[in-house]
Amino acid sequence: MGLLMLLHVLLVAAAARAPAAQAWGKEGHYMTCKIADGFLTSEALTGVKALLPSWANGELAEVCSWADSQRFRYRWSSPLHFADTPGDCEFSYARDCHDTKGNKNVCVVGAINNYTAALQDSSSPFDPTESLMFLAHFVGDVHQPLHCGHVDDLGGNTIKLRWYKRKSNLHKVWDSDVITEAMKDFFDKDQDAMIESIQRNITV
Ligand SMILES: *[C@@H]1O[C@H](CO)[C@@H](O)[C@H](O)[C@H]1NC(C)=O
């Protein structure tokens, strides 16, 4: 009995800690989707819920880092996460939206167009659940300044630095480190509190 009790306590504690143990890149996507979710019309929300996979438990935010987990399974999707420029910060779709082999439309802007069009077209051959999961992820990515950075430094990935005591790079600082640190320093690692605070500061 004592052992079962201990096991129970450990499991409950582990479950309570699970969200904080996720990679923070995930948390950034979770938070942006959680906030975006609140702006959906009831019609859009119904449409979204109908497309969510069962493992999402009816929550759009749960699927918003799925695209990162598919970068190896779907290798072709890897260059769809960003749109870098040659250094002038003036994104030109015709000039800049391509992969390293020059294939057109292969960048985050092309991907947003691709999956928006797919979701609007009921005869699209693409899996609509995947289209939604990609779209929700890429709209998050395109708002991360270093996902629209410079080709030379791979969107800040080659700019190595130290974030407090850990080795990091400029891209990762924006993707995760700054979020982790803010959550720890200002919100006692409470993700919901951070989401609520951001929501209170949105004026639209
Ligand atoms: C469009 O979506 C399909 C299906 O996921 C994918 O095979 C294709 O590479 C995508 N193209 C772009 C530019 O996003």
Side-chain angles (χ1 to χ4, degrees), residues 104-184:
K104 293 268 173 216
N105 305 318
V106 184
C107 80
V108 70
V109 185
I112 289 171
N113 291 339
N114 186 31
Y115 293 113
T116 302
L119 285 165
Q120 285 170 334
D121 172 10
S122 55
S123 64
S124 165
F126 306 152
D127 177 327
T129 296
E130 290 198 352
S131 294
L132 173 70
M133 297 196 291
F134 274 128
L135 183 64
H137 182 89
F138 293 143
V139 172
D141 272 352
V142 80
H143 287 89
Q144 203 275 56
L146 289 169
H147 279 250
C148 302
H150 293 172
V151 173
D152 290 0
D153 58 36
L154 306 178
N157 272 296
T158 64
I159 303 178
K160 306 293 177 200
L161 48 79
R162 263 172 202 282
W163 176 259
Y164 294 85
K165 290 186 174 141
R166 269 177 300 112
K167 285 188 181 160
S168 188
N169 67 61
L170 194 59
H171 187 94
K172 191 162 172 283
V173 165
W174 277 93
D175 255 6
S176 352
D177 293 335
V178 91
I179 301 172
T180 324
E181 197 64 32
M183 203 178 296
K184 179 159 75 88

